[in-house]
Amino acid sequence: MQIKIINKSAHALPNYETLASAGMDLRANIAAPITLSTLDRAIVPTGLFIELPIGYEAQVRPRSGLAAKKGVTVLNSPGTVDADYRGEIGVILVNLSQEDFVIENGERIAQLIIAKHERAVWIAVEALTETSRGEGGFGSTGVK
């Protein structure tokens, strides 16, 4: 699929690193480094603006390496970019580690996945179809 994009950053457009990659890396587009102390959060600009077709969203997700190695993740994961949004894509990062984390210009900070979605139409009813699970919630299907 083709998606219109404006790139106001000094970095290349996001791209798929391998043929089977689901996501494209987003890079920080900042004039000066940003330091995130423990539990600090910041909206990091990317310099990217997109025009998605209706019925699609862009999901901003954590980079697994950044989360595992540095304890830095996307706070509202996944973040959603709606088809009618025309502003700059920003990434809400949070530092969950015990050490300061410095975000540098051009650093890969998150990944972007384009996903098709449906719109729901609610049907008000008095009862739902019974299942073996029923109302069993959090952890009700077992531990192992």
Side-chain angles (χ1 to χ4, degrees):
M1 80 179 303
Q2 295 182 342
I3 297 173
K4 294 177 183 176
I5 186 167
I6 296 172
N7 184 0
K8 293 186 178 181
S9 79
H11 315 296
L13 290 176
N15 67 302
Y16 298 100
E17 294 295 329
T18 70
L19 182 62
S21 294
M24 301 169 270
D25 287 334
L26 292 175
R27 295 181 180 273
N29 184 52
I30 51 180
I34 298 172
T35 300
L36 290 180
S37 297
T38 300
L39 298 181
D40 275 355
R41 63 188 178 275
I43 299 175
V44 183
T46 63
L48 301 174
F49 303 74
I50 61 176
E51 183 178 325
L52 292 168
I54 293 174
Y56 288 85
E57 66 167 323
Q59 299 174 357
V60 179
R61 298 186 184 182
R63 291 192 65 241
S64 58
L66 193 59
K69 295 174 184 173
K70 300 293 183 176
V72 174
T73 190
V74 175
L75 190 56
N76 63 325
S77 181
T80 295
V81 180
D82 293 309
D84 57 353
Y85 178 67
R86 295 296 183 267
E88 181 176 11
I89 295 174
V91 178
I92 306 171
L93 288 183
V94 64
N95 181 2
L96 300 177
S97 77
Q98 302 291 324
E99 302 171 2
D100 287 356
F101 178 75
V102 179
I103 305 164
E104 302 285 348
N105 185 43
E107 185 161 0
R108 296 180 300 162
I109 56 170
Q111 59 179 324
L112 190 71
I113 294 175
I114 307 301
K116 189 172 179 58
H117 68 81
E118 300 291 330
R119 288 185 59 93
V121 176
W122 298 110
I123 301 171
V125 298
E126 296 298 319
L128 302 175
T129 305
E130 295 290 327
T131 67
S132 60
R133 181 176 182 178
E135 294 182 16
F138 304 101
S140 67
T141 60
V143 178
K144 293 184 179 184

Coordinates of all heavy atoms in Angstrom, one line a residue, residues 16 25-26 32-33 36 42 49 58 65 68-69 76 100 102 111 121 144:
Y16 N 11.4 -1.0 6.3 CA 11.4 -2.3 6.8 C 12.8 -2.8 6.7 O 13.4 -2.8 5.6 CB 10.4 -3.2 6.0 CG 9.0 -2.7 6.2 CD1 8.4 -2.0 5.1 CD2 8.2 -3.0 7.3 CE1 7.1 -1.6 5.2 CE2 6.9 -2.6 7.4 CZ 6.3 -1.9 6.4 OH 5.0 -1.5 6.5
D25 N 11.4 1.3 12.0 CA 11.9 2.1 13.1 C 11.6 3.6 12.9 O 11.7 4.1 11.9 CB 13.4 1.9 13.3 CG 13.8 0.5 13.8 OD1 12.9 -0.1 14.5 OD2 14.9 0.0 13.5
L26 N 11.2 4.2 14.1 CA 11.1 5.6 14.1 C 12.3 6.2 14.8 O 12.8 5.6 15.8 CB 9.8 6.0 14.9 CG 8.5 5.7 14.3 CD1 7.3 6.0 15.3 CD2 8.3 6.4 13.0
A32 N 18.6 18.8 20.5 CA 19.6 18.6 21.6 C 19.2 17.3 22.2 O 18.0 16.9 22.2 CB 19.6 19.7 22.6
P33 N 20.1 16.5 22.8 CA 19.8 15.3 23.5 C 18.7 15.5 24.6 O 18.7 16.6 25.2 CB 21.1 14.8 24.1 CG 22.2 15.5 23.3 CD 21.6 16.8 22.9
L36 N 16.3 11.2 30.1 CA 15.2 10.7 30.8 C 15.7 10.0 32.1 O 16.5 9.0 32.0 CB 14.4 9.6 30.0 CG 13.6 10.1 28.8 CD1 12.9 8.8 28.2 CD2 12.5 11.1 29.3
A42 N 8.8 11.6 28.2 CA 8.8 12.7 27.3 C 8.2 12.3 25.9 O 8.2 11.2 25.5 CB 10.3 13.1 27.0
F49 N 5.0 13.2 9.3 CA 3.6 13.5 9.2 C 3.1 12.6 8.1 O 3.6 12.5 7.0 CB 3.4 15.0 8.8 CG 4.0 16.0 9.7 CD1 5.4 16.2 9.6 CD2 3.3 16.8 10.5 CE1 6.0 17.2 10.5 CE2 3.8 17.7 11.3 CZ 5.2 17.9 11.3
A58 N -1.8 3.7 12.4 CA -0.4 3.5 12.5 C -0.2 3.2 14.0 O -0.6 4.1 14.9 CB 0.5 4.6 12.1
G65 N 14.7 -4.3 21.7 CA 16.0 -4.1 22.2 C 16.2 -3.0 23.2 O 16.9 -3.1 24.2
A68 N 14.5 -4.1 26.5 CA 15.2 -5.2 27.2 C 16.6 -4.7 27.7 O 16.9 -5.0 28.8 CB 15.4 -6.4 26.3
K69 N 17.3 -3.9 26.9 CA 18.6 -3.5 27.2 C 18.7 -2.3 28.1 O 19.6 -2.1 28.9 CB 19.5 -3.3 26.0 CG 19.7 -4.6 25.2 CD 20.4 -4.3 23.9 CE 20.5 -5.6 23.1 NZ 21.0 -5.4 21.7
N76 N 2.3 4.6 26.2 CA 0.9 4.2 25.8 C 1.0 3.2 24.7 O 0.5 3.4 23.6 CB 0.1 5.4 25.4 CG 0.7 6.1 24.1 OD1 1.9 6.1 23.9 ND2 -0.1 6.6 23.2
D100 N 19.8 7.0 34.2 CA 19.4 7.9 33.2 C 19.6 7.4 31.8 O 20.5 6.6 31.6 CB 20.2 9.2 33.4 CG 19.9 10.1 34.6 OD1 18.9 9.7 35.3 OD2 20.6 11.1 34.8
V102 N 19.8 8.7 27.8 CA 20.0 9.9 27.0 C 19.5 9.5 25.6 O 20.0 8.6 24.9 CB 21.4 10.4 27.0 CG1 21.5 11.6 26.0 CG2 21.9 10.8 28.4
Q111 N 8.9 1.6 17.0 CA 8.6 1.1 15.7 C 7.2 1.5 15.3 O 6.3 1.7 16.2 CB 8.9 -0.4 15.6 CG 8.1 -1.2 16.5 CD 8.5 -2.7 16.4 OE1 8.7 -3.2 15.2 NE2 8.5 -3.4 17.4
V121 N -20.2 -1.8 15.3 CA -21.6 -1.4 15.5 C -22.1 -2.2 16.7 O -22.2 -3.4 16.6 CB -22.4 -1.6 14.2 CG1 -23.9 -1.2 14.5 CG2 -21.8 -0.8 13.0
K144 N -0.3 -22.3 34.1 CA 0.6 -22.9 33.1 C -0.1 -23.4 31.9 O -1.2 -23.8 31.9 CB 1.4 -24.1 33.8 CG 2.4 -23.5 34.9 CD 3.2 -24.7 35.4 CE 4.1 -24.1 36.5 NZ 5.0 -25.1 37.0

